[in-house]
Amino acid sequence: MAAQDAERLVPLEEVQHLALSRARALPPVEIPLDDALGCVLAHDAVATEDVPPFANTAMDGYAVRAGDTANAPVELRVVDVLGAGSSPNVGVGPGEAVQIMTGAPIPPGADAIAIVERAEAVLTGGSAKPGPGSLVRILDSVVPGAHFRAAGSDLAAGSVAVAAGTVLEPAHIGVLASIGAGLVKVHPRPRVGVMSTGDELVELAADGSARPLSPGQIRDSNRHALLATLRRDGCVPVDLGLAIDTEEAVTAGLERALATCDAVITTGGVSKGEFDYVKTVLAKMGAATGEVRELSVAIRPAKPLVLGWLGNRDGAEPRLVPVFGLPGNPVSSLVSYEAIALPVLRVLAGHAPAAPPTVPALADPGLRRRADGKTHLVRVELSWRADGRLAARAAGGQMSHQLSGMAVANGLAVVPDGEGIAEGEMLEVIPFGPIGPFGARGT
Ligand code: AMP
Ligand code: MG
């Protein structure tokens, strides 16, 4: 461990770079298509057949020879009725038509579709019901190719339907289904363990009752917030429970984590307190099989951080598992997660390495601060103003224990060291929740 790092304030960009520098995508796995939403495709998915596989009609109507309709209205003899899923029994000869439903294959001889809305059954022998042998009056002339969907007009056989690296959205899942890809090769969702540490912490009761708190105790909120955040971000959350403030308990929890997880997040125990064992234990483990850095990140909140890469204990190919020792204050742990841990988890999941994306917003009102050598990550509500511009205003209490403030925020405003941002100036915001009109989040 580079102990001197703990004294130096390290700029956030440097910490993000350090965290990303060792991150690698998890090896691809094949999973059922319906489980792949949000995953990153690990190979080009190539269409092995045309989509659609055959020329078919885009409309209900009559398959005709366009030339027969030149002098419309014109009466044609209906020689067949074709629904979707059936194949043509007869072709369309001169003066003939095949009644046809959307999706049915175009019968041989036809080169256009006359839509049913512009066709009339001709009464013959008391029957107005169209069908083989009846006559149909086509009211408008049609051009060759009208309402045809050519074979391969969506995807041609041999073309790339979905490219490697694509984050699969619902329409991609549909496209992959359309080429018959029931299994897809993707980077797996990272399994991320979350462990809370602290003698003061009390578990939630399984029966939903709020356990009485003894003097000095508080409820563990970090683990639940982080497990939910991981689910939001497409990871598989692994609940590693609570560890008390002893070397043994923290070590046992981390050993378990390394045997089951692709990444590990702990909260608490990384500051300067007498019982902050997470950093001590991680330093020891790092000296054995990896690398651990104790850092003071030049941000507020969330200054203390232990960043580790530890050898896996799951019996698989040796690899380094990222471990994030996040600070215990509830807001700090979530801010550290958004700014430092999430970018790494995204790389494990197959995304390109990148710092958290930001959006430009107008300070409304200003976000004033004092110079202290740190970037402030202010919890803000991002909202659309009536003039169509995105605005950011401080949301709720800004102290690092005030989780309720985090809950009304949907972004972290990046306020550089100095005097802050005046009202009406632009600033960058890391968004982490849906953006609505101002006040939609209850500020
Ligand atoms: P620590 O980083 O362990 O010094 O904790 C800093 C502050 O965060 C203390 O006030 C702790 O009680 C609080 N804290 C630590 N872990 C949690 C947790 N899991 N849930 C809620 N608060 C916590
Ligand atoms: Mg603690």
Side-chain angles (χ1 to χ4, degrees):
M1 168 172 41
Q4 67 277 14
D5 282 347
E7 310 306 323
R8 181 170 80 93
L9 276 181
V10 188
L12 177 60
E13 302 70 44
E14 200 179 318
V15 175
Q16 287 166 330
H17 189 261
L18 180 68
L20 286 170
S21 61
R22 282 181 176 274
R24 301 285 176 272
L26 296 172
V29 292
E30 204 160 50
I31 64 171
L33 176 62
D34 289 332
D35 295 340
L37 180 66
C39 293
V40 177
L41 194 65
H43 66 117
D44 284 345
V46 175
T48 54
E49 59 198 13
D50 279 341
V51 183
F54 51 87
N56 66 92
T57 172
M59 299 290 280
D60 294 322
Y62 292 85
V64 299
R65 299 162 83 98
D68 283 352
T69 68
N71 299 317
V74 60
E75 288 180 8
L76 302 175
R77 177 167 310 283
V78 178
V79 293
D80 199 7
V81 178
L82 267 186
S86 51
S87 54
N89 305 302
V90 292
V92 176
E96 293 178 347
V98 164
Q99 193 188 358
I100 193 165
M101 317 307 156
T102 303
I106 307 288
D111 63 0
I113 302 297
I115 63 173
V116 70
E117 291 87 344
R118 300 298 298 153
E120 289 170 351
V122 178
L123 288 169
T124 47
S127 167
K129 208 170 151 31
S134 69
L135 288 179
V136 64
R137 184 176 301 116
I138 304 297
L139 300 177
D140 302 326
S141 66
V142 290
V143 294
H147 306 301
F148 268 33
R149 300 194 285 213
S153 57
D154 186 5
L155 291 167
S159 65
V160 174
V162 184
T166 302
V167 183
L168 297 178
E169 294 177 10
H172 296 121
I173 302 289
V175 167
L176 290 164
S178 80
I179 65 166
L183 293 173
V184 284
K185 236 184 190 179
V186 298
H187 296 284
R189 297 171 208 284
R191 291 173 52 81
V192 185
V194 181
M195 179 170 78
S196 291
T197 72
D199 283 343
E200 72 279 35
L201 301 176
V202 173
E203 288 262 18
L204 287 180
D207 66 1
S209 62
R211 285 198 173 124
L213 297 175
S214 302
Q217 289 188 323
I218 60 166
R219 303 186 195 283
D220 174 10
S221 57
N222 290 355
R223 193 159 39 105
H224 300 282
L226 284 165
L227 290 168
T229 308
L230 288 164
R231 195 167 292 122
R232 177 199 72 183
D233 292 335
C235 298
V236 178
V238 178
D239 187 352
L240 299 169
L242 275 175
I244 55 168
D245 288 321
T246 65
E247 275 202 49
E248 295 70 31
V250 172
T251 308
L254 285 169
E255 297 273 1
R256 234 173 342 113
L258 293 172
T260 51
C261 299
D262 300 310
V264 185
I265 296 175
T266 66
T267 68
V270 294
S271 310
K272 310 270 178 239
E274 194 67 27
F275 310 115
D276 286 339
Y277 287 116
V278 173
K279 64 175 189 223
T280 332
V281 168
L282 280 173
K284 277 191 192 166
M285 291 174 87
T289 68
E291 182 188 333
V292 168
R293 302 281 295 269
E294 186 188 331
L295 296 160
S296 289
V297 190
I299 54 174
R300 181 179 159 170
K303 183 176 78 147
L305 172 77
V306 180
L307 187 60
W309 298 92
L310 299 180
N312 57 317
R313 311 270 162 96
D314 55 5
E317 286 277 289
R319 65 181 195 284
L320 289 176
V321 175
V323 182
F324 302 92
L326 306 186
N329 274 304
V331 174
S332 308
S333 64
L334 291 178
V335 167
S336 272
Y337 172 88
E338 299 286 350
I340 299 162
L342 176 56
V344 172
L345 301 180
R346 286 175 57 79
V347 172
L348 300 189
H351 299 263
T358 59
V359 293
L362 192 79
D364 174 21
L367 295 170
R368 286 301 182 192
R369 51 160 291 177
R370 294 252 175 85
D372 61 2
K374 297 178 198 158
T375 298
H376 288 193
L377 297 173
V378 179
R379 277 71 74 208
V380 293
E381 181 178 11
L382 272 175
S383 59
W384 293 109
R385 297 194 337 170
D387 65 4
R389 298 164 82 183
L390 199 56
R393 73 171 54 179
Q398 293 286 328
M399 293 174 74
S400 60
H401 70 287
Q402 290 175 312
L403 195 50
S404 56
M406 187 78 186
V408 289
N410 56 1
L412 294 174
V414 182
V415 183
D417 194 21
E419 300 302 312
I421 311 277
E423 175 156 351
E425 280 182 7
M426 298 299 289
L427 77 168
E428 293 297 317
V429 181
I430 302 168
F432 59 76
I435 300 172
F438 179 70
R441 302 184 61 86
T443 42

